[in-house]
Amino acid sequence: MYTAAGRLDTNATLKQYSPLVKRLAHQMIAKLPANVEIDDLIQVGLIGLTDAMTRFDSAQGVQFETFATQRIRGAMLDELRGSDWMSRGNRKQQREIETAVHKLQQTLGRAPSEGEIARQMGLSLTDYQELLGKVRGTQLVYLEDMSGDDGDADFLDRHVADENENPLARLQDQRMRLALIDAIKTLPEREQFVMSMYYEQDMNLKEIAAVLGVTESRVCQLHSQSIARLRAKLRDH
């Protein structure tokens, strides 16, 4: 991986660590909005890898992969912070949906219908469905959810950088995954289909709409509602 002059071989290093960039991108995108493109994260990650190659100093006693992982994730996080896929207003409305769903789940002991959620929010069914379409691009975990209790701006960087070395973080991640699997099973059947086709089968909205026999906008509504239900369900995890 090094040249005769003792420097990192750029081409060899890029080839060897490109799979690392892809793996980190896939790990991160699982917590991001549906409209974030994996290819965009990978491209930014490759820039981070290139930056790591120019800054790496073996004399510091750190393995290149450890150093590169931090630089790659840092580049991705910087890109995410520099973009806003969901306005504050839309995010506030999404949380209002989640709150309504959470209250109804506790009261009814089951997944509430769209009509019940609409009534809980004081909206007509049509207005509620329009709202679901408006807050499209929602995610299971918001970036601000990963901030410290005291508004620690560096918490996310440290959390991401250290999570693979933290046994407790690994355990918590496994618990969250199991909780998420259980939560998906509680979704209405059609919403389970949407989540499965979108996240497991990697189908786009148009393809899902064709399978279900509905419009793309309706699939978008179902996706947004599913995310609201899951976030409400996972509040205690």
Side-chain angles (χ1 to χ4, degrees):
M1 194 171 68
Y2 288 86
T3 65
R7 297 179 180 178
L8 284 172
D9 185 311
T10 301
N11 292 331
T13 303
L14 281 173
K15 183 177 181 179
Q16 179 175 347
Y17 288 98
S18 289
L20 172 63
V21 173
K22 293 179 180 179
R23 184 168 70 251
L24 294 175
H26 280 282
Q27 289 175 355
M28 191 170 291
I29 203 166
K31 300 178 179 180
L32 296 172
N35 61 327
V36 178
E37 296 291 341
I38 186 69
D39 288 344
D40 292 340
L41 276 186
I42 291 174
Q43 288 301 316
V44 172
L46 288 173
I47 294 175
L49 174 59
T50 302
D51 181 59
M53 288 188 289
T54 61
R55 295 174 180 270
F56 180 66
D57 183 358
S58 59
Q60 297 296 320
V62 179
Q63 292 185 348
F64 177 74
E65 182 169 342
T66 300
F67 180 77
T69 296
Q70 293 179 349
R71 302 301 300 185
I72 293 166
R73 282 179 168 159
M76 292 178 181
L77 290 172
D78 286 343
E79 176 69 13
L80 293 173
R81 289 196 180 97
S83 304
D84 184 12
W85 294 284
M86 193 175 184
S87 70
R88 290 185 178 181
N90 284 359
R91 193 174 288 115
K92 178 177 181 294
Q93 291 173 320
Q94 173 66 17
R95 292 192 186 281
E96 290 173 352
I97 295 174
E98 293 164 19
T99 298
V101 170
H102 189 256
K103 288 181 178 179
L104 288 170
Q105 285 178 168
Q106 291 184 320
T107 302
L108 302 173
R110 59 171 172 78
S113 67
E114 284 182 280
E116 289 169 333
I117 300 171
R119 285 193 294 274
Q120 176 70 25
M121 297 183 69
L123 299 173
S124 68
L125 180 58
T126 299
D127 287 342
Y128 172 64
Q129 290 177 337
E130 289 180 356
L131 180 60
L132 286 175
K134 181 180 178 181
V135 299
R136 64 177 301 170
T138 56
Q139 62 260 48
L140 279 173
V141 180
Y142 299 126
L143 289 180
E144 60 264 34
D145 287 343
M146 296 184 184
S147 61
D149 293 335
D150 299 323
D152 183 358
D154 296 324
F155 178 85
L156 181 57
D157 299 275
R158 291 187 283 100
H159 172 76
V160 172
D162 298 339
E163 66 178 354
N164 287 335
E165 305 303 324
N166 186 336
L168 178 59
R170 289 184 178 183
L171 177 61
Q172 290 174 332
D173 182 64
Q174 180 64 16
R175 286 175 177 171
M176 175 61 77
R177 289 176 183 273
L178 293 175
L180 177 58
I181 291 172
D182 289 339
I184 290 175
K185 293 177 181 178
T186 68
L187 292 175
E189 187 176 38
R190 175 166 282 196
E191 292 177 30
Q192 287 189 46
F193 288 153
V194 169
M195 298 297 281
S196 175
M197 287 185 281
Y198 194 93
Y199 292 102
E200 294 180 20
Q201 301 177 41
D202 199 27
M203 296 171 64
N204 59 40
L205 298 182
K206 183 177 181 180
E207 292 169 334
I208 297 173
V211 172
L212 296 180
V214 298
T215 64
E216 286 185 52
S217 62
R218 180 56 180 155
V219 174
C220 179
Q221 292 171 2
L222 291 171
H223 177 265
S224 294
Q225 185 165 263
S226 299
I227 295 297
R229 291 188 197 274
L230 292 175
R231 280 182 57 85
K233 191 77 173 178
L234 295 173
R235 282 189 177 186
D236 298 328
H237 293 274

